Amino acid sequence: MRSNANKLLNLAILAVLIPIASSLYGQSENDSTLTVSEYIRLVHQYHPLIRKAELQTSKGQATVLSARGSFDPKLFGSADQKIFQDVDYYRHLTGGIQFPTRLGVKAEGFYKQANGNYLNPELTLPTEGLFGASVYVPIGEGLLFDEARLQWKRANIWNNASEAQRKSMVNQVLFEAVIAYWDWFEAYHLFELYANAAETALERQQWVVQKATIGERPFIDTLESSTQVYQRQIKANEALMKLQTSTLKLSTFLWVDDSTVLYVNPQTQPQKPEDAAEFAAKAPESIPDIQTLISNHPDQQLALAKVDLKSADLRWKKEQLKPDLNLKYSKLINGQNTDYALGNDHMIGLEVGMPMLMRKERGELRLAQLELREYELDAQQKGQQIKVYVQSSMAERQRLNNQVQLTRTSSLAFSTLMNAEKELFELGESSLFLLNRRELNSLQASGEYYQSIASLGKSTAKLYYSMGVMEEAML
């Protein structure tokens, strides 16, 4: 019956599924089993979202590199002249290099040259030009923190959180993939169960008709057997539709490159119920205390990273409440005639500026404080959600583990009763009604067994997902 059921399955879904190479699983095309472990390895290796997750670390490193560029040395220069009616009014030449630092101070070395008939007296320089060194010091806003340091801090926070972002994305994809597998597992075995039952009902109907024709069975049994054929064919068709849907959903997680999806071969089967139950029942080797688990969870780390980012923004908003107070000192160097005392041969300047009411700065500061509080509350809520999710998953998994044992025992018991009733029926000591009832009970018990295995598998995946360790646990 099993082989006939497989033939029925293959014919029914061949039109919508295209074969996957039999070598993919290292088994023959007629007898290939796709286990949970093999399936997860394929998903982890080729799924586009998994490969997208792998880019997060590189993005974090690129962000740090970009922020570091704010402190790179910068060359500068300018040149201009004016000649009118053959009169050389002026020529100005300036060039140098500037060194930003992470302390907010900027150092600069420069060379200037100026000549011409109509130079502004304050721009007059020695014939050979003038060298100089300058220092810019923000005494007010920007002394302790500035926008360049803000971007540097944000980049480092994001870079440190990029691994958590990767793990969170992988955790989500693998969880959805495992749920799709257990849906497929349940749908496959339920269809196989009902397809075999429909075949059995059809064979029995033919047998009953033959017996009724020669007077060995009452003709009412032919109607009874016909109703069972119809009912079981309906169940088989419903199971087939669910199998088709779950198979296509399973295939959406199987890729070999950026554009090619692998469709599950009609001959490919999920794990056998006994093996699947053993796999689904595997518990984590150890579960850390809840606070350690929460702090290591990638989603919690991302939530805390958002708090750190907003804290950096808040620090910058506070810094902007200070007045603009910038000091510039330049030491001028003119060969041997230079006086290296700080009080001579120099230029010094001071810039001062400050909004009178500072409504913009105070408003932005208040918004940053409120947003920081929002992120802090989100982080607290995320930690509580993880705690509750883990605890509920553990409790659910324990209950379902017991349920698998109960449904297995029930399935075996009803199967034994059905076989006994079948022997009595064939000996003429039982009725078709009683046999059908035994078979329906056996079908229901077997279906509950398959469903409980799938539920346990999903529950185990939910536990790993809630702990944020799908990648470590399933591979």
Side-chain angles (χ1 to χ4, degrees):
M1 291 186 191
R2 180 183 177 92
S3 60
N4 291 333
N6 284 336
K7 291 179 181 178
L8 179 60
L9 168 63
N10 295 339
L11 292 174
I13 64 177
L14 185 61
V16 293
L17 302 177
I18 61 176
I20 181 176
S22 60
S23 60
L24 181 61
Y25 309 118
Q27 299 176 343
S28 67
E29 185 179 75
N30 295 326
D31 185 25
S32 62
T33 299
L34 179 60
T35 66
V36 183
S37 299
E38 292 170 333
Y39 167 71
I40 290 300
R41 282 197 293 270
L42 288 172
V43 175
H44 187 265
Q45 185 174 1
Y46 295 115
H47 197 281
L49 291 182
I50 299 291
R51 286 183 282 178
K52 177 182 177 181
E54 299 298 332
L55 300 177
Q56 302 309 308
T57 303
S58 298
K59 287 176 64 177
Q61 295 170 352
T63 303
V64 172
L65 179 63
S66 176
R68 187 180 290 128
S70 300
F71 305 104
D72 289 345
K74 179 181 179 181
L75 294 172
F76 63 89
S78 65
D80 62 304
Q81 68 174 6
K82 178 181 179 181
I83 299 176
F84 182 65
Q85 294 183 351
D86 296 327
V87 177
D88 185 3
Y89 277 72
Y90 59 81
R91 289 188 181 88
H92 295 154
L93 176 65
T94 301
I97 183 170
Q98 188 179 81
F99 298 90
T101 70
R102 295 177 190 175
L103 299 177
V105 178
K106 295 180 181 179
E108 180 183 288
F110 62 86
Y111 171 77
K112 293 184 178 182
Q113 189 180 68
N115 54 58
N117 296 325
Y118 296 100
L119 281 176
N120 190 323
E122 68 180 28
L123 300 179
T124 301
L125 299 174
T127 303
E128 67 275 13
L130 186 68
F131 289 90
S134 302
V135 177
Y136 297 82
V137 181
I139 300 175
E141 179 185 321
L143 177 61
L144 301 178
F145 204 61
D146 57 21
E147 191 165 4
R149 281 177 281 182
L150 168 65
Q151 297 306 321
W152 170 252
K153 188 173 183 63
R154 288 178 61 89
N156 279 280
I157 292 172
W158 174 246
N159 185 41
N160 293 334
S162 61
E163 175 61 17
Q165 176 72 9
R166 186 198 70 82
K167 291 182 65 175
S168 179
M169 294 175 65
V170 172
N171 200 50
Q172 182 67 39
V173 174
L174 293 184
F175 174 68
E176 294 175 0
V178 172
I179 296 301
Y181 181 91
W182 289 115
D183 285 338
W184 176 59
F185 166 87
E186 179 182 336
Y188 182 93
H189 287 292
L190 285 178
F191 170 75
E192 185 180 56
L193 179 68
Y194 287 118
N196 287 334
E199 183 181 7
T200 299
L202 183 60
E203 292 174 352
R204 181 172 296 125
Q205 181 196 32
Q206 296 171 351
W207 181 86
V208 168
V209 169
Q210 292 176 354
K211 293 296 184 180
T213 302
I214 61 178
E216 294 184 1
R217 302 294 303 183
F219 270 98
I220 192 64
D221 280 358
T222 62
L223 180 59
E224 174 76 15
S225 61
S226 297
T227 59
Q228 292 303 311
V229 171
Y230 300 146
Q231 290 298 316
R232 294 179 189 181
Q233 286 180 341
I234 291 173
K235 287 290 187 180
N237 287 333
E238 292 175 349
L240 176 60
M241 288 187 290
K242 292 180 179 179
L243 177 58
Q244 291 173 336
T245 301
S246 63
T247 303
L248 290 173
K249 184 176 180 180
L250 184 80
S251 297
T252 62
F253 290 95
L254 295 175
W255 295 69
V256 290
D257 55 38
D258 293 338
S259 59
T260 305
V261 180
L262 292 176
Y263 289 91
V264 176
N265 191 316
Q267 284 76 35
T268 301
Q269 304 173 11
Q271 283 183 271
K272 294 181 179 180
E274 293 75 15
D275 297 334
E278 182 180 355
F279 180 89
K282 289 183 178 178
E285 294 182 359
S286 62
I287 297 179
D289 64 90
I290 194 66
Q291 292 304 320
T292 301
L293 192 150
I294 292 173
S295 62
N296 291 334
H297 198 287
D299 290 349
Q300 179 69 4
Q301 291 175 349
L302 287 175
L304 293 176
K306 292 180 180 179
V307 173
D308 292 340
L309 289 171
K310 187 51 64 176
S311 296
D313 290 341
L314 179 60
R315 183 180 177 185
W316 173 231
K317 298 302 181 184
K318 290 180 178 179
E319 187 72 15
Q320 289 178 301
L321 293 178
K322 299 178 182 179
D324 293 327
L325 190 60
N326 301 313
L327 176 65
K328 178 183 179 182
Y329 175 85
S330 300
K331 182 64 181 176
L332 305 178
I333 303 172
N334 181 25
Q336 297 179 354
N337 297 326
T338 297
D339 184 348
Y340 288 95
L342 294 179
N344 295 321
D345 293 345
H346 71 275
M347 293 189 299
I348 189 169
L350 183 65
E351 296 179 352
V352 179
M354 183 177 180
M356 294 182 62
L357 301 179
M358 302 193 73
R359 286 181 290 192
K360 176 183 177 182
E361 290 76 7
R362 289 187 288 112
E364 291 181 349
L365 174 63
R366 182 56 180 160
L367 286 174
Q369 291 172 331
L370 294 173
E371 290 174 355
L372 174 61
R373 184 55 182 159
E374 287 181 347
Y375 287 129
E376 289 174 342
L377 293 173
D378 288 343
Q380 293 176 9
Q381 177 65 13
K382 177 60 66 176
Q384 183 65 16
Q385 286 177 345
I386 293 171
K387 178 180 178 180
V388 172
Y389 201 1
V390 170
Q391 292 175 339
S392 63
S393 298
M394 292 175 62
E396 177 184 287
R397 188 179 175 282
Q398 180 62 39
R399 179 182 61 81
L400 289 172
N401 196 25
N402 295 333
Q403 187 78 354
V404 169
Q405 302 303 321
L406 292 173
T407 55
R408 183 177 184 276
T409 302
S410 174
S411 177
L412 292 174
F414 277 110
S415 179
T416 301
L417 290 173
M418 179 192 69
N419 292 330
E421 196 70 41
K422 184 177 180 181
E423 292 180 1
L424 292 175
F425 177 78
E426 291 174 352
L427 294 173
E429 297 179 5
S430 179
S431 67
L432 182 60
F433 174 79
L434 290 176
L435 178 58
N436 287 334
R437 183 175 179 182
R438 293 293 190 193
E439 286 182 338
L440 288 175
N441 289 337
S442 179
L443 284 173
Q444 183 179 359
S446 297
E448 290 174 348
Y449 176 49
Y450 300 147
Q451 290 169 347
S452 66
I453 294 174
S455 297
L456 178 60
K458 293 178 184 179
S459 180
T460 300
K462 187 186 296 183
L463 176 60
Y464 289 134
Y465 173 72
S466 66
M467 295 169 61
V469 295
M470 282 293 296
E471 187 174 27
E472 296 86 337
M474 302 300 294
L475 294 173

